[in-house]
């Protein structure tokens, strides 16, 4: 195990990444990359615009290419929704 990539076992016994694997980003990094809030990234996952590629339920990972595709994908709108 590479000590620069993985943190020691946490109190829950789950390994967490200090630096995500190459080509992947966390929710916070994905949001920073897209200029949106982390809640927007989670909303894209809920809507099916973005899928998780690993991580844990509390710390999901996303492929950077998928994040970029979701960023520029046409977002479905609801009837009666105000224009931004």
């Amino acid at each position: 195990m590479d000590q620069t990539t993985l943190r020691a076992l946490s109190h829950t016994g789950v390994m967490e990444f200090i630096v995500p694997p190459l080509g992947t980003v966390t929710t916070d990094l994905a949001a920073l990359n897209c200029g949106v809030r982390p809640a927007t990234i989670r909303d894209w996952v809920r809507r099916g615009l973005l899928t998780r590629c690993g991580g844990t339920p509390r710390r999901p990972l996303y492929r950077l290419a998928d994040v970029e595709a979701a960023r520029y994908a046409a977002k479905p709108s609801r009837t009666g929704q105000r224009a931004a």
Side-chain angles (χ1 to χ4, degrees), residues 42-54:
R42 291 187 291 272
D43 189 50
W44 291 351
V45 171
R46 185 181 55 77
R47 290 180 178 189
L49 296 172
L50 181 62
T51 57
R52 299 174 180 188
C53 72

Side-chain angles (χ1 to χ4, degrees), residues 6-9 12 15 18-19 24 26 28-29 35 39 41 43-44 48 50 58-59 63 74 76 79 82-84:
L6 295 176
R7 190 183 326 166
L9 283 171
T12 60
M15 290 293 242
I18 292 175
V19 177
T24 63
T26 62
D28 289 337
L29 290 175
I41 299 298
D43 189 50
W44 291 351
L50 181 62
R58 291 182 58 85
R59 303 278 188 260
R63 287 183 190 87
T79 56
R82 290 183 292 161

Side-chain angles (χ1 to χ4, degrees), residues 54-71:
T56 65
R58 291 182 58 85
R59 303 278 188 260
L61 294 175
Y62 309 98
R63 287 183 190 87
L64 188 55
D66 293 345
V67 171
E68 285 295 314
R71 177 183 185 182

